[in-house]
């Protein structure tokens, strides 16, 4: 059986952050991603090497806008943010305490200091606002640091995770995909905070399953706060993290000498034949869907590989056309050129009906 170390080769394992951990939940059925992430393989480098570089990430403009918005909220000891939290959580007026954990330089020292302050607060001692606490979470057998742009707020014995985002809420509505991604990231912090408290002997239920999402309102920099329930996100996340620790059955199905090592030669350039790496990727089952384009560095490779399959058209098509694997077969069933097998009858009837509607519309 191959091992995560052999798959990764000489490279150092790629670290996760809240965004990459959150992305794990968007396609929990994909074995390829599970193996790559558990082995800590640099998917971005691998995708570029096989000719399908990733093309996603925040624009510099969005990053700058986000930083300005966060700085505005946190100015003067989080005065603006505190006003919002008082509204959304019914926080009473009395004085709150504020700890700026970003001021601790060393990562380990900052994580230790965060842990000390948060567990002390869980025990009923002082502590209200914790700016940039550093949390740790075990992912695929390795500890990763999470540097949230958030504040954990302790009020009335309950911790709330606060996530600040720069996308706008317009007339009370925000882009659903962006809200969902922000909620998933916040769920990562909720999970890390719950595990931190549990390890220190406190009730993990002290961390609320509701997170506070703070965004600018109506094209201005005026902030608005909303409570978002992340229970569903949490259960998907926990399932996926547990699955990462159990990739042995997948590894057993792979050839023992499989590796994605991109060790460079003396001139600094990897010499692995691309075809060998593509073959290796082909050994691990993938489950491409259009959502991969926004969440996984291998998306363009997997999309190319899945071209012509009905599953590549998205989850709803995958479900509606179960048993009809290719677009060619779907078209043949729709036109009646091919007779459906027993398990394709239902999908074939739907396809014929759709084809009939289409021809009526066109004529
Ligand atoms: S892009 Fe490929 S590897 Fe990544 S989640 Fe999608 S199918 Fe899996």
């Amino acid at each position: 059986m191959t091992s995560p170390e052999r798959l990764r080769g000489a490279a150092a394992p790629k670290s996760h952050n809240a965004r990459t951990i959150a992305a794990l939940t968007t396609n929990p059925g994909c074995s390829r991603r599970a193996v790559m992430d558990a082995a800590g393989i640099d998917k971005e480098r691998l995708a570029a090497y096989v000719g399908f570089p990733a093309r996603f990430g925040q624009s510099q403009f969005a990053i700058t806008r986000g930083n300005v918005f966060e700085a505005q909220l946190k100015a003067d000891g989080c005065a603006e943010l505190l006003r919002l939290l008082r509204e959304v959580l019914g926080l009473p007026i009395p004085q709150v305490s504020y700890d700026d954990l970003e001021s601790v330089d060393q990562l380990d020292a900052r994580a230790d200091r965060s842990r000390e302050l948060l567990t002390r607060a869980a025990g009923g001692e002082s502590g209200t606002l914790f700016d940039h606490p550093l949390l740790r979470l075990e992912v695929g057998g390795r500890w990763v640091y999470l540097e949230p742009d958030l504040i954990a707020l302790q009020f009335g014995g309950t911790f709330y995770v606060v996530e600040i985002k720069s996308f706008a809420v317009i007339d009370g509505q925000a882009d659903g995909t962006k809200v969902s991604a922000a909620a998933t990231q916040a769920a990562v912090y909720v999970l890390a905070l719950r595990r931190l408290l549990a390890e220190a002997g406190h009730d993990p239920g002290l961390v609320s399953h509701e997170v506070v999402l703070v965004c600018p309102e109506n094209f201005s920099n005026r902030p608005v706060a909303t409570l978002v329930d992340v229970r569903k996100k949490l259960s998907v996340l926990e399932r996926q993290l547990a699955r990462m620790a159990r990739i042995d059955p997948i590894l057993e199905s792979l050839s023992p000498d499989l590796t994605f090592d991109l060790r460079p030669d003396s001139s600094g350039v990897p010499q692995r034949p691309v075809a060998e790496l593509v073959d290796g990727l082909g050994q691990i089952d993938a489950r491409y869907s259009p959502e991969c384009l926004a969440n996984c560095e291998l998306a363009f490779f997997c999309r190319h590989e899945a071209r012509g399959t009905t599953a590549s058209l998205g989850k709803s098509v995958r479900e509606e056309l179960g048993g009809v694997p290719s677009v060619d077969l779907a078209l043949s069933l729709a036109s009646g050129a091919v007779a459906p097998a027993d398990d394709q009858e239902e999908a074939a009837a739907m396809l014929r009906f759709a084809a009939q509607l289409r021809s009526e519309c066109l004529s």
Side-chain angles (χ1 to χ4, degrees):
M1 182 172 90
T2 187
S3 66
E5 291 71 28
R6 176 162 179 78
L7 286 173
R8 189 176 64 246
K14 181 87 178 150
S15 289
H16 282 282
N17 54 40
R19 187 188 65 77
T20 59
I21 297 170
L24 289 173
T25 64
T26 57
N27 196 350
C30 178
S31 298
R32 184 176 292 165
R33 175 159 198 153
V35 168
M36 294 279 151
D37 285 338
I41 291 170
D42 186 340
K43 299 195 295 300
E44 190 174 353
R45 187 160 174 245
L46 180 61
Y49 191 73
V50 297
F52 294 90
R55 281 174 254 156
F56 67 81
Q58 263 193 317
S59 71
Q60 195 50 47
F61 172 74
I63 292 169
T64 307
R65 179 171 151 77
N67 290 342
V68 168
F69 182 60
E70 186 179 340
Q72 172 200 326
L73 283 165
K74 291 184 175 174
D76 304 322
C78 291
E80 178 78 0
L81 188 54
L82 192 55
R83 180 189 64 74
L84 278 175
L85 295 174
R86 282 193 167 122
E87 278 172 28
V88 76
L89 297 174
L91 204 61
I93 294 298
Q95 185 74 38
V96 294
S97 70
Y98 169 75
D99 292 289
D100 181 6
L101 287 150
E102 205 177 11
S103 57
V104 183
D105 279 342
Q106 285 248 327
L107 279 188
D108 282 335
R110 198 166 135 206
D112 290 346
R113 179 74 179 142
S114 303
R115 182 187 169 85
E116 184 192 331
L117 289 179
L118 289 163
T119 50
R120 227 196 273 165
E125 289 184 45
S126 66
T128 314
L129 290 172
F130 305 93
D131 194 350
H132 284 276
L134 192 63
L135 308 173
R136 299 194 323 154
L137 189 67
E138 195 177 1
V139 180
R142 292 194 314 278
W143 287 99
V144 295
Y145 286 112
L146 301 170
E147 293 189 68
D149 61 340
L150 65 80
I151 293 165
L153 171 82
Q154 193 261 339
F155 162 60
T158 304
F159 287 88
Y160 291 88
V161 163
V162 180
E163 181 72 353
I164 300 167
K165 289 291 175 196
S166 62
F167 59 81
V169 174
I170 299 162
D171 293 332
Q173 297 285 322
D175 181 323
T177 312
K178 289 180 177 168
V179 172
S180 173
T184 309
Q185 277 190 33
V188 175
Y189 302 138
V190 170
L191 185 64
L193 193 47
R194 283 186 172 177
R195 291 191 176 170
L196 181 151
L197 294 187
E199 278 165 24
H202 292 288
D203 176 8
L206 290 176
V207 186
S208 175
H209 58 259
E210 288 189 310
V211 300
V212 184
L213 184 58
V214 182
C215 300
E217 190 177 29
N218 295 340
F219 305 109
S220 70
N221 259 2
R222 217 178 87 90
V224 60
T226 319
L227 280 174
V228 181
D229 189 327
V230 297
R231 268 176 292 189
K232 229 164 130 186
K233 305 271 184 199
L234 275 169
S235 59
V236 177
L237 192 58
E238 288 192 276
R239 223 175 29 242
Q240 184 65 348
L241 288 177
R243 188 167 185 259
M244 280 186 76
R246 295 194 311 266
I247 56 159
D248 285 1
I250 308 173
L251 296 183
E252 272 166 18
S253 68
L254 307 177
S255 87
D257 53 357
L258 177 63
T259 176
F260 296 100
D261 195 357
L262 288 181
R263 192 190 314 239
D265 64 5
S266 55
S267 61
V269 181
Q271 297 298 325
R272 290 284 307 276
V274 168
E276 208 175 284
L277 291 160
V278 170
D279 274 359
L281 283 166
Q283 281 192 37
I284 316 174
D285 286 341
R287 212 178 144 90
Y288 175 79
S289 71
E291 289 76 31
C292 293
L293 290 170
N295 293 297
C296 183
E297 293 84 349
L298 285 169
F300 287 98
F301 173 81
C302 296
R303 183 176 71 168
H304 179 77
E305 180 189 57
R307 182 164 293 164
T309 64
T310 50
S312 67
L313 300 176
K315 193 166 166 240
S316 58
V317 179
R318 183 197 293 266
E319 282 166 7
E320 298 280 356
L321 295 184
V324 182
S326 72
V327 173
D328 281 348
L329 178 58
L331 292 174
S332 301
L333 290 170
S335 66
V338 167
D342 289 349
D343 63 341
Q344 294 168 341
E345 287 285 1
E346 200 180 317
M350 190 175 59
L351 286 164
R352 282 195 301 271
F353 181 59
Q356 186 191 334
L357 282 180
R358 180 175 182 276
S359 82
E360 279 173 19
C361 288
L362 291 178
S363 62

